[in-house]
Amino acid sequence: EDQVTQSPEALRLQEGESSSLNCSYTVSGLRGLFWYRQDPGKGPEFLFTLYSAGEEKEKERLKATLTKKESFLHITAPKPEDSATYLCAVQAGGGGFKTIFGAGTRLFVKA
Amino acid sequence: DAGVTQSPTHLIKTRGQQVTLRCSPKSGHDTVSWYQQALGQGPQFIFQYYEEEERQRGNFPDRFSGHQFPNYSSELNVNALLLGDSALYLCASSFDETQYFGPGTRLLVL
């Protein structure tokens, strides 16, 4: 069964303290892995799409990487405005067009 | 570009009632997917529409139905509402694998 697991559930950082969020996945053929940021009560905001192992993408303080079993979202020198829930999702080639989301990691960055 | 829009933003219904939620995709997108997100959880896939047909469906009962119009906009209908249907309903549009989400409709069933 296709599955996405994110860890940790919550992460508290001081401003400037770099860290990584983990997304482990089990799918029957990966069509794409996606990272989203979601603020409370709002829709997810697209960050990155990764397609194959070894691929990396960067945007400001965020960098996403992909292996055959997991993805990491690295946050460098975070600021309080980076506080949000970060969602990982996969689309499996064998699963048609269904996208499966993890439960998310809630990030809190304190000034 | 207006992005994905959804209406209404909030809705309160009672058990047994029916509800219709609406979504307009981003310009250039032809595919619309609907998700249900309970508090503290990730979005759960309901179904996807492409070329006015339901292309794939998640593990949701037949009380959940949808429609896509020729202009690619879409509706989600939920019949015989249950308390457990209270959630944030998200619409996402795409033209390839990457989906862009709207702000959501918050549904409360009393």
Side-chain angles (χ1 to χ4, degrees), chain B residues 45-63:
Chain B
F45 177 79
I46 302 175
F47 42 54
Q48 184 180 89
Y49 276 84
Y50 173 70
E51 292 189 343
E52 302 180 51
E53 296 285 333
E54 183 183 291
R55 181 156 71 171
Q56 185 152 10
R57 189 178 186 90
N59 296 325
F60 280 80
D62 292 345
R63 298 188 297 109

Side-chain angles (χ1 to χ4, degrees), chain B residues 53-85:
Chain B
E53 296 285 333
E54 183 183 291
R55 181 156 71 171
Q56 185 152 10
R57 189 178 186 90
N59 296 325
F60 280 80
D62 292 345
R63 298 188 297 109
F64 290 77
S65 63
H67 188 78
Q68 186 179 34
F69 299 94
N71 66 353
Y72 307 120
S73 67
S74 177
E75 288 182 349
L76 165 65
N77 300 292
V78 187
N79 294 322
L81 284 167
L82 304 174
L83 296 179
D85 294 332

Side-chain angles (χ1 to χ4, degrees), chain A residues 2 25-33 51 68 90-96 98:
Chain A
D2 299 332
Y25 63 92
T26 305
V27 294
S28 52
L30 182 68
R31 178 174 285 159
L33 184 141
Y51 292 101
K68 289 186 177 181
V90 299
Q91 195 173 99
K98 179 179 178 180

